[in-house]
Amino acid sequence: MCGIYCSVRVSSVDATDHCVDADVFQALSEQLRSVNGARELLLRGRAAVVQPHQQEGDVFCWNGEVFEGLDINPEENDGVKLFGRLRLECTPDSVPALLGSVEGPYAFVFYDSSSEKLYFARDPLGRRSLLIHKPSPSFPYLLLSSVSAGNHPAYQFEELPTEGIFCLDVGLIRRSSDGLDYCLSIIPRRASAARFVGGRTCTRLKISRVNTAHPLEDTPLLDPFECEPFPKAWSDAVDELISHLNQSVMLRVRDIPVHFGQEGKARVAVLFSGGIDSTMLAFLAHRHVPEDEAIDLINVAFENPRKIHVRLRRERKKYRKAGEIMKVTDEGTTLYLVPDRVTGLEEVERIAETVPGENVEFYVPYEESLAARSAVEAIMWPSRTVMDLSLAMALYFASRGVGRIRGSSSECYKAYTSHARVLLNGLGSDELLGGYGRHRTAFTVGGWKSVIDELQLELDRIPTRNLGRDDRIISSHGKETRHPFLSLSVVSFLAGLPVYLKLDPRLDVGKGDKTLLRLAARRVGLVEASARKKRAMQFGSHSARMAAGEGERRGDLIIG
């Protein structure tokens, strides 16, 4: 993991001489330094590697992880290995072919000095941040950056699209007065099959297409939860899902180097709500970390004045006694008994024997969240909706790692800082397995075909939604998020399954949504978690709509 910054002057733009604004460059530099703790973060290999990689005029900036497709031993650095492969052969055909052979999140910039071409891209799902500013009259440079300058009038940063590999002919820019569009091309991602666990083929250059097979409309309703053992079709799919997800988690938690002075401390954390996604990830991660090493189960809760006001109003109606209401508000910890905290505590108790770890509780007072808001808005830019801010705030404080854990007595707490540098996130399960209410609505409106269309739309939208934003937020604390559900191997497997094995909207909520994952959780013994209903992170942590009067604000509104 490393920060990326690249600047190319495009002289054809009609503008007077400009240089990078000193304040913006300072802001970018400070953010890059925090991310470039990547050199110190050291998540690959045993020795620190200075970026950018440079040799004989070739330059390579790599912010990513190779989990499959390239033979890398624990002592090696994936960026060094990729740089060597790129230098052996660099053509418009070989670059996408090499990247298509690997699986993992990445953003990169590579300058090939012999051809004077600059290649840059993000992985097909956009799991790493890379922003682009195209030359403008006020600032005639092409900028590529993994961090944001915030809302600055001279720079129009936007997320780099993931549709292909971008190639900028730098030599042509120097020789020609034509604009950027003439010198910049997009090399399409071409389908390239790669093998993975179970003998299936996986396309690593493109997002898979959803299986369009669906049952007949008059197929009788079958509740697999009421059958013991599971019907064979579900049973086989459950076994395969557990195998693929277990492999994905293993690749993301193994061989994380131990920093000096951090021996025996957790190297892996899970963004933990007690729901089915995070509980399953915690369970599988424990299989692949040393037996004597804990996993930090991170649970964040916000003091939300709007929610507190609503609760007090309900209490007044119920009790009509001001004294009792004051008693509730005087107990500070009750302000933070948000839904994710309640279910997180419940699930920690249930899985304590099988998943030993620290339940790290983060409390965010309203004043502290207000103080951090401007910094969070700058980091997440160009994402700037109400929902972006709600989710970014939750991730910002969760990845900061400063909280408390329960002592030997349940009433006793002590301060705790999580040193885990890898955070597992369950994002992707709802999109792949039909966990949103809109999937149930689609079935009501148009049957299985509408559900399939909606699931395909979910997959197609993943690269344009929020992964780049999340990467910028979490990496601002020198940490890295990893998404086991978004391994292209897992995506390919789940997309290839018939839709009726993944969900059945005819069943009740808590059964019909993410049915396959719920059955998998039951099979490994996570019975209570398997029945928990979907709850978005911003609502479970109460990071959404904190101020009075914000209750009706739509999530897609642009923040002012």
Side-chain angles (χ1 to χ4, degrees), residues 154-425:
Y155 308 93
Q156 290 84 46
F157 274 118
E158 58 188 54
E159 303 276 3
L160 184 73
T162 63
E163 67 218 55
I165 312 297
F166 289 79
C167 179
L168 179 67
D169 193 329
V170 178
L172 187 58
I173 286 178
R174 282 205 295 264
R175 298 189 301 269
S176 169
S177 60
D178 292 310
L180 178 71
D181 291 342
Y182 183 73
C183 303
L184 181 66
S185 60
I186 302 178
I187 307 170
R189 298 185 187 274
R190 291 181 290 276
S192 174
R195 308 294 293 184
F196 66 84
V197 176
R200 293 177 181 266
T201 58
C202 166
T203 298
R204 289 182 179 148
L205 274 175
K206 291 185 177 181
I207 300 174
S208 302
R209 307 302 297 175
V210 172
N211 188 325
T212 57
H214 56 82
L216 298 175
E217 294 299 331
D218 59 353
T219 299
L221 177 64
L222 174 64
D223 185 347
F225 296 90
E226 301 300 327
C227 304
E228 195 60 46
F230 301 148
K232 180 171 173 48
W234 276 279
S235 183
D236 292 346
V238 163
D239 289 341
E240 285 195 85
L241 174 58
I242 293 172
S243 174
H244 283 96
L245 195 54
N246 179 65
Q247 172 81 355
S248 180
V249 170
M250 181 269 289
L251 292 171
R252 283 156 178 77
V253 303
R254 71 175 182 180
D255 300 327
I256 300 171
V258 179
H259 274 200
F260 179 75
Q262 303 298 324
E263 297 84 355
K265 295 182 179 179
R267 288 176 285 174
V268 175
V270 179
L271 299 177
F272 191 77
S273 66
I276 183 172
D277 307 332
S278 59
T279 304
M280 192 70 172
L281 293 183
F283 175 85
L284 294 176
H286 179 63
R287 291 180 173 181
H288 305 293
V289 300
E291 288 187 8
D292 60 346
E293 186 174 303
I295 295 172
D296 285 345
L297 305 177
I298 291 177
N299 187 285
V300 62
F302 286 77
E303 178 189 0
N304 186 316
R306 185 182 64 83
K307 288 283 189 180
I308 294 169
H309 176 72
V310 170
R311 191 188 70 183
L312 289 178
R313 196 166 56 190
R314 288 174 181 166
E315 291 287 335
R316 288 190 183 98
K317 288 181 179 179
K318 185 176 181 180
Y319 296 107
R320 304 290 182 184
K321 294 180 181 178
E324 291 185 11
I325 295 170
M326 292 306 295
K327 244 185 226 181
V328 173
T329 59
D330 283 344
E331 296 173 8
T333 56
T334 65
L335 298 176
Y336 298 97
L337 280 178
V338 301
D340 279 0
R341 175 63 42 81
V342 174
T343 55
L345 290 172
E346 289 175 356
E347 199 56 39
V348 163
E349 292 291 329
R350 292 192 177 99
I351 65 173
E353 292 186 7
T354 54
V355 186
E358 297 289 2
N359 182 46
V360 189
E361 301 177 13
F362 298 161
Y363 295 83
V364 186
Y366 181 57
E367 292 77 11
E368 190 171 356
S369 64
L370 278 182
R373 175 169 171 164
S374 60
V376 172
E377 287 184 9
I379 296 169
M380 75 181 194
W381 187 274
S383 300
R384 53 199 181 105
T385 67
V386 170
M387 184 177 292
D388 284 321
L389 181 61
S390 299
L391 291 165
M393 291 289 279
L395 291 173
Y396 180 83
F397 283 100
S399 58
R400 186 178 64 165
V402 179
R404 69 184 195 176
I405 58 176
R406 293 177 184 266
S408 54
S409 166
S410 61
E411 301 300 320
C412 177
Y413 285 89
K414 60 181 180 180
Y416 182 85
T417 299
S418 173
H419 295 279
R421 291 164 289 142
V422 170
L423 277 62
L424 297 185
N425 188 333

Side-chain angles (χ1 to χ4, degrees), residues 21-33 147-150:
D21 181 274
D23 292 337
V24 173
F25 184 76
Q26 177 69 18
L28 287 170
S29 299
E30 289 175 0
Q31 288 200 50
L32 283 168
R33 271 197 293 273
V147 297
S148 175

Side-chain angles (χ1 to χ4, degrees), residues 329-537:
T329 59
D330 283 344
E331 296 173 8
T333 56
T334 65
L335 298 176
Y336 298 97
L337 280 178
V338 301
D340 279 0
R341 175 63 42 81
V342 174
T343 55
L345 290 172
E346 289 175 356
E347 199 56 39
V348 163
E349 292 291 329
R350 292 192 177 99
I351 65 173
E353 292 186 7
T354 54
V355 186
E358 297 289 2
N359 182 46
V360 189
E361 301 177 13
F362 298 161
Y363 295 83
V364 186
Y366 181 57
E367 292 77 11
E368 190 171 356
S369 64
L370 278 182
R373 175 169 171 164
S374 60
V376 172
E377 287 184 9
I379 296 169
M380 75 181 194
W381 187 274
S383 300
R384 53 199 181 105
T385 67
V386 170
M387 184 177 292
D388 284 321
L389 181 61
S390 299
L391 291 165
M393 291 289 279
L395 291 173
Y396 180 83
F397 283 100
S399 58
R400 186 178 64 165
V402 179
R404 69 184 195 176
I405 58 176
R406 293 177 184 266
S408 54
S409 166
S410 61
E411 301 300 320
C412 177
Y413 285 89
K414 60 181 180 180
Y416 182 85
T417 299
S418 173
H419 295 279
R421 291 164 289 142
V422 170
L423 277 62
L424 297 185
N425 188 333
L427 194 148
S429 70
D430 293 300
E431 289 81 357
L432 291 164
L433 288 151
Y436 292 119
R438 55 180 172 266
H439 301 137
R440 190 174 293 271
T441 301
F443 181 81
T444 302
V445 172
W448 288 106
K449 184 182 184 305
S450 291
V451 175
I452 292 168
D453 292 343
E454 189 68 31
L455 288 176
Q456 187 62 62
L457 185 60
E458 299 283 7
L459 273 184
D460 295 340
R461 278 193 300 223
I462 287 175
T464 61
R465 291 185 68 184
N466 50 27
L467 291 169
R469 176 204 67 203
D470 294 353
D471 182 47
R472 290 191 294 279
I473 291 291
I474 291 174
S475 65
S476 71
H477 291 298
K479 300 185 179 182
E480 179 174 285
T481 183
R482 296 179 178 178
H483 306 91
F485 285 100
L486 290 180
S487 157
L488 287 177
S489 300
V490 174
V491 171
S492 179
F493 161 67
L494 287 174
L497 285 178
V499 65
Y500 52 86
L501 292 180
K502 295 180 284 191
L503 72 155
D504 191 339
R506 297 173 297 176
L507 296 172
D508 293 339
V509 175
K511 283 187 175 182
D513 50 312
K514 297 194 288 193
T515 305
L516 186 63
L517 183 61
R518 295 183 186 281
L519 293 173
R522 289 173 76 92
R523 174 152 289 179
V524 299
L526 304 174
V527 178
E528 290 82 3
S530 73
R532 289 224 167 88
K533 298 178 182 179
K534 160 74 180 173
R535 185 170 53 236
M537 178 171 58

